[in-house]
């Protein structure tokens, strides 16, 4: 339960390298059990969520070494197929191990991940489609007991392009009889990265990033090496942090095409962006326009990402004019509104997950509370321009998705400290 203290008024400038993506390493770690061998993975972020996933792998009798950003997993002795309740409750995305375990053992016992601050977070799309693959699912007091003699490839039509469901169904189908076609899958870059990883160990998966992913069942897999794709949400967070401080920064090790929807919004807001595609770099500077946005609506990839909504909300707090954000993926991704208003922002929560933001001339430092990962990041962003000191409590939310936000913002000339 640490806290960040940010002293506002420092323009960000400098250069920073972006690390691997949280939402990529988590499903990849679930996939490392499939080859019952060695996976050498680089560009791995040292996040609290990474270490929870590694705890699960140890529980499944895997071993690992983790030096700097190089993670070597050995799953030769993977045997256990039960995920402890306490680990699922620590990280709801542990549900992603279900697909791998059912693939490998034809059995998995795991508890419902339950909801979180963002909303109910149901897993009906995961379970309904696993059943179409031949999985029997028994629910006893929120415990899921999943069994399958063999995974039978099938045509699966997702009614919503769920990221987690797409990942789980891919992982469940790698050894299937015949082939599985997932229609209307999620197209997020982290799924493309997962498929690159799985194909590097011998899986046969085509069509990722399109409207139909085809997984042809294989019988055996082998050792592999993979570099995790860079984190487009961490990169976007720091671009918005530079924008709000009227700063100029250069980010390295980014994938420009994966950042495009974020860059488009920054352009609409009047910021100057230079993308160096071949060098994987992006530069941003201000033109002091502080434009507002009539409507910013979150959508599945390649639309504007829900994971960037909170960060842009902070930026729009100090724009000229009135902006509206509409959150369409989660029922309650606006817990940061009350905290931003404590800093002097003027945000009203409207109907159907809309937030109406009337720009103010300045924000004033205060003590605020992170309630979720990206909402917490938005409070730090606001603190960079609030007068005086802003204290952001409940740092553990933010540490789930940012390896060391204090180090990174300090490199970029931000005035931020962390204390336990
Ligand atoms: C992943 O969550 C990410 N998490 C989230 O990032 C991200 O916000 C989300 O995708 C959307 O891009 C990880 O990858 C670990 P979904 P996931 O299944 O898989 C509904 C962050 O900040 N739904 O696409 O849970 C669900 O309720 C986190 O890094 C069903 O109705 O997202 C939600 O409203 C936050 N039934 C919507 O779909 C289902 O079976 C999006 O969920 C599954 C989902």
């Amino acid at each position: 339960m640490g806290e960040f203290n940010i002293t506002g008024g420092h323009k960000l400038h400098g250069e920073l390298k972006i690390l691997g993506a949280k939402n990529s390493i988590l499903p990849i770690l679930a996939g490392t059990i499939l080859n019952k061998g060695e996976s050498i993975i680089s560009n791995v972020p040292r996040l609290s969520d990474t270490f929870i996933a590694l705890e699960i792998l140890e529980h499944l009798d895997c071993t690992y070494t983790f030096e700097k950003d190089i993670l070597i997993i050995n799953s030769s002795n993977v045997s256990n197929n039960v995920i402890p309740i306490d680990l699922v409750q620590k990280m709801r995305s542990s549900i992603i191990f279900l697909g791998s375990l059912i693939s490998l053992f034809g059995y998995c016992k795991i508890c419902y991940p339950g909801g979180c601050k963002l909303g109910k977070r149901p897993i009906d799309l995961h379970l309904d489609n696993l059943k179409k693959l031949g999985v029997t699912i028994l629910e006893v007091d929120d415990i899921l007991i999943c069994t399958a003699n063999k995974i039978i490839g099938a045509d699966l039509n997702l009614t919503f392009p769920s990221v987690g469901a797409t990942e789980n169904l891919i992982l469940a189908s790698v050894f299937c009889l015949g082939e599985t076609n997932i229609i209307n899958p999620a197209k997020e870059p982290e799924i493309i990265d997962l498929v690159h990883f799985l194909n590097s160990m011998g899986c046969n998966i085509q069509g990722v990033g399109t409207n139909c992913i085809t997984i042809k069942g294989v019988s055996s897999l082998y050792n592999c090496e993979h570099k995790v794709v860079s984190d487009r949400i961490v990169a976007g967070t720091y671009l918005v942090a530079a924008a709000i401080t009227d700063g100029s920064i250069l980010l390295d090790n980014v994938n420009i095409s994966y950042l495009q929807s974020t860059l488009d919004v920054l352009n609409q807001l009047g910021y100057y962006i230079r993308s160096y595609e071949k060098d994987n770099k992006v530069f941003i500077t201000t033109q002091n326009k502080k434009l507002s946005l009539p409507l910013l609506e979150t959508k599945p990839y390649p639309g504007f990402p829900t994971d960037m909504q909170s960060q842009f909300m902070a930026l729009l707090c100090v724009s000229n004019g009135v902006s509206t954000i509409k959150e369409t993926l989660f029922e309650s991704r606006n817990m940061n509104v009350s905290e931003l208003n404590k800093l002097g922002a003027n945000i009203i929560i409207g109907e159907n997950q809309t937030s109406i933001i009337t720009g103010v001339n300045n924000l004033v430092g205060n003590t605020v509370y992170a309630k979720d990962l990206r909402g917490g990041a938005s409070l730090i962003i606001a603190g960079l321009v609030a007068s005086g000191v802003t204290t952001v409590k409940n740092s553990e939310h933010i540490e789930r998705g940012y390896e060391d936000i204090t180090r990174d913002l300090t490199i970029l000339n931000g005035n931020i400290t962390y204390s336990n």
Side-chain angles (χ1 to χ4, degrees), residues 22-23 26 92-93 118 121-126 160-164 188 306-307 329-330 333 373-374:
K22 164 179 91 76
N23 293 350
L26 296 179
R92 62 177 312 284
S93 49
L118 302 182
R121 309 294 291 275
I123 57 169
D124 55 309
L125 294 172
H126 301 238
F160 176 85
S162 153
V163 170
E188 271 68 3
T306 176
D307 294 346
L329 276 86
F330 292 109
R333 196 165 206 169
L373 166 54
R374 309 302 174 185

Side-chain angles (χ1 to χ4, degrees), residues 164-418:
T166 303
E167 293 166 342
N168 243 338
L169 296 169
I170 289 172
L171 291 164
S173 299
V174 296
F175 299 128
C176 74
L177 275 181
E179 70 178 34
T180 289
N181 293 299
I182 305 174
I183 295 105
N184 190 34
K187 302 180 180 68
E188 271 68 3
E190 296 74 31
I191 296 179
I192 296 173
D193 200 40
L194 169 65
V195 167
H196 288 167
F197 166 73
L198 293 173
N199 284 345
S200 77
M201 67 163 61
C203 293
N204 184 347
I205 307 168
Q206 310 303 325
V208 68
T210 74
N211 285 324
C212 178
I213 298 176
T214 298
I215 305 104
K216 289 185 175 28
V218 296
S219 51
S220 64
L221 299 172
Y222 38 81
N223 295 348
C224 64
E225 288 196 40
H226 180 76
K227 179 181 179 186
V228 176
V229 72
S230 122
D231 195 314
R232 61 192 168 101
I233 304 301
V234 169
T237 302
Y238 293 141
L239 289 172
V240 171
I244 202 170
T245 64
D246 291 335
S248 304
I249 67 169
L250 180 73
L251 296 183
D252 196 359
N253 187 40
V254 297
N255 182 312
I256 300 293
S257 61
Y258 292 165
L259 260 178
Q260 202 50 59
S261 54
T262 294
L263 299 178
D264 292 346
V265 175
L266 287 166
N267 272 316
Q268 284 175 52
L269 289 171
Y271 293 92
Y272 175 80
I273 303 277
R274 271 297 295 276
S275 309
Y276 305 89
E277 191 108 29
K278 65 177 176 46
D279 298 329
N280 296 323
K281 292 176 190 280
V282 62
F283 172 76
I284 183 173
T285 191
T286 182
Q287 299 182 89
N288 274 319
K289 294 182 178 173
K290 295 199 181 301
L291 302 179
S292 53
L293 267 183
L295 178 62
L296 180 60
E297 192 168 333
T298 63
K299 291 203 175 68
Y301 192 88
F304 176 74
T306 176
D307 294 346
M308 280 303 303
Q309 179 257 94
S310 306
Q311 297 91 314
F312 274 96
M313 185 182 285
L315 179 58
L316 292 168
C317 287
V318 290
S319 68
N320 298 322
V322 181
S323 307
T324 299
I325 290 181
K326 183 165 178 47
E327 170 56 54
T328 67
L329 276 86
F330 292 109
E331 296 95 340
S332 53
R333 196 165 206 169
N334 52 23
M335 288 154 303
N336 56 336
V337 166
S338 60
E339 303 309 294
L340 288 169
N341 284 340
K342 283 182 193 168
L343 300 175
N346 180 353
I347 310 170
I348 297 166
I349 295 180
E351 312 248 308
N352 307 322
Q353 287 310 307
T354 55
S355 300
I356 297 103
I357 304 115
T358 304
V360 294
N361 290 329
N362 52 57
L363 300 175
V364 181
N366 200 340
T367 296
V368 289
Y369 293 81
K371 296 173 183 170
D372 68 275
L373 166 54
R374 309 302 174 185
S378 77
L379 301 178
I380 290 180
I381 288 172
L384 292 168
V385 282
S387 57
V389 176
T390 297
T391 299
V392 180
K393 300 271 194 183
N394 301 340
S395 65
E396 66 279 5
H397 289 291
I398 299 160
E399 288 152 356
R400 287 188 46 227
Y402 297 86
E403 180 177 272
D404 189 339
I405 198 165
T406 305
R407 173 200 65 203
D408 293 346
L409 290 176
T410 302
I411 288 170
L412 294 173
N413 190 49
N415 186 327
I416 176 173
T417 58
Y418 169 79

